[in-house]
């Protein structure tokens, strides 16, 4: 028996559930339900882009299953350098939804797209080489992924490259990324003073830094 139902994310309904996961389909997504609650092939993309926990595809393919891993290099420029790592992560997560990237999701009552950040520049510093890994529930051309994601991210965040990382590239990078190259700029008028300060710092046998203790100051 096959039918078409439209579900409401705020009111779980039996026809709109995937029995294997107990997930509730997002509001406004029309799906075809066949034997055992398996989603029909023709609506896979709608379900993938809608979020939630479902069983999708021809046969049974769980939303949490990772089919492909993609390593993305991105830049953080302009005023976006003042965004925290958490705020930047949220912006990228929203961009993935807007670009309809077929993300794999974590399991449980509050599923999240499976994203791993491999490096993060400090708040206030621009960067041309930060990396993240995306886990996808469906195969996707990495060039198309990079172009789609870059087109929906806010100004100041740019997707530079994307490569297939299914062979474990991200795991290797997490141990091989051991240093960063920094570029410092300052006004020409301050150059002589800064050069002398740098020379003195490099020549010193030791440099003592004082860090104030937390809590109330002593009387």
């Amino acid at each position: 028996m096959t039918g078409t139902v439209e579900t409401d994310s705020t009111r779980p309904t039996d026809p709109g559930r995937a029995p294997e996961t107990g997930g509730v389909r997002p509001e406004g997504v029309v799906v075809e339900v066949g034997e055992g609650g398996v989603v029909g092939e023709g609506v896979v993309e709608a379900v993938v882009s809608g979020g939630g926990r479902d069983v999708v595809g021809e046969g049974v393919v769980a939303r949490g299953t990772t089919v492909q891993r993609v390593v993305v290099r991105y830049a953080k420029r302009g005023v976006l350098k003042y965004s925290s790592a958490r705020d930047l992560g949220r912006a990228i997560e929203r961009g993935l939804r807007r670009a309809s990237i077929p993300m794999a999701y974590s399991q449980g009552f509050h599923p999240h797209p499976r994203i791993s950040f491999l490096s993060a520049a400090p708040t206030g510093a621009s960067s041309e080489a930060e990396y993240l890994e995306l886990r996808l529930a469906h195969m996707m051309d990495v060039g198309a992924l990079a172009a789609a994601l870059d087109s929906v991210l806010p100004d100041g965040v740019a997707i530079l490259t994307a490569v297939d990382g299914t062979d474990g590239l991200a795991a290797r990078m997490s141990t091989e990324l051991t240093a960063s190259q920094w570029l410092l700029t300052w006004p020409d008028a301050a150059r002589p003073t800064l050069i002398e300060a740098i020379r003195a710092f490099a020549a010193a046998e030791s440099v003592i830094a004082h860090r104030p203790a937390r809590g109330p100051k002593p009387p």
Side-chain angles (χ1 to χ4, degrees), residues 41-107:
E41 182 179 3
V43 294
V44 167
E45 292 304 321
V47 175
V48 167
S49 62
R53 296 162 292 168
D54 298 286
V55 174
V56 301
E58 185 176 5
V60 177
V61 180
R63 285 296 305 277
T65 302
T66 299
V67 175
Q68 182 184 16
R69 298 188 182 202
V70 178
V71 176
V72 177
R73 175 186 172 187
Y74 65 96
K76 183 177 64 174
R77 303 165 178 161
V79 296
L80 263 295
K81 68 183 180 182
Y82 298 110
S83 298
S84 67
R86 178 174 296 181
D87 290 337
L88 187 63
R90 289 172 178 169
I92 292 175
E93 184 174 332
R94 287 194 296 267
L96 291 168
R97 291 197 299 268
R98 292 179 61 191
S100 298
I101 305 300
M103 295 295 299
Y105 281 75
S106 61
Q107 301 300 304

Side-chain angles (χ1 to χ4, degrees), residues 14 27 32 36 46 50 53 60 63 75 82 85 89 95 101 114 118 135 160 167 176 194 206 212 216 218:
D14 291 337
E27 182 176 2
E32 294 180 4
R53 296 162 292 168
V60 177
R63 285 296 305 277
Y82 298 110
I101 305 300
R114 305 190 69 178
L118 305 182
R135 299 189 182 189
L160 303 180
D167 61 349
E176 294 174 359
L194 286 171
S206 63

Side-chain angles (χ1 to χ4, degrees), residues 1-2 20 33-39:
M1 178 178 179
T2 301
E20 291 79 3
V33 180
E35 295 295 334
V38 178
V39 178

Side-chain angles (χ1 to χ4, degrees), residues 142-189:
V142 293
L145 183 152
L149 183 56
D150 186 66
S151 67
V152 297
L153 289 176
D155 293 337
V157 182
I159 301 300
L160 303 180
T161 58
V163 297
D164 188 275
T166 309
D167 61 349
L169 174 61
R172 297 196 304 272
M173 290 179 64
S174 64
T175 58
E176 294 174 359
L177 290 175
T178 57
S180 300
Q181 184 178 22
W182 291 80
L183 175 64
L184 305 178
T185 60
W186 53 79
D188 290 338

Side-chain angles (χ1 to χ4, degrees), residues 191-211:
R191 186 180 298 271
T193 303
L194 286 171
I195 290 177
E196 289 300 321
I198 293 172
R199 288 174 177 170
F201 180 83
E205 294 184 0
S206 63
V207 177
I208 300 176
H210 296 277
R211 178 180 298 178

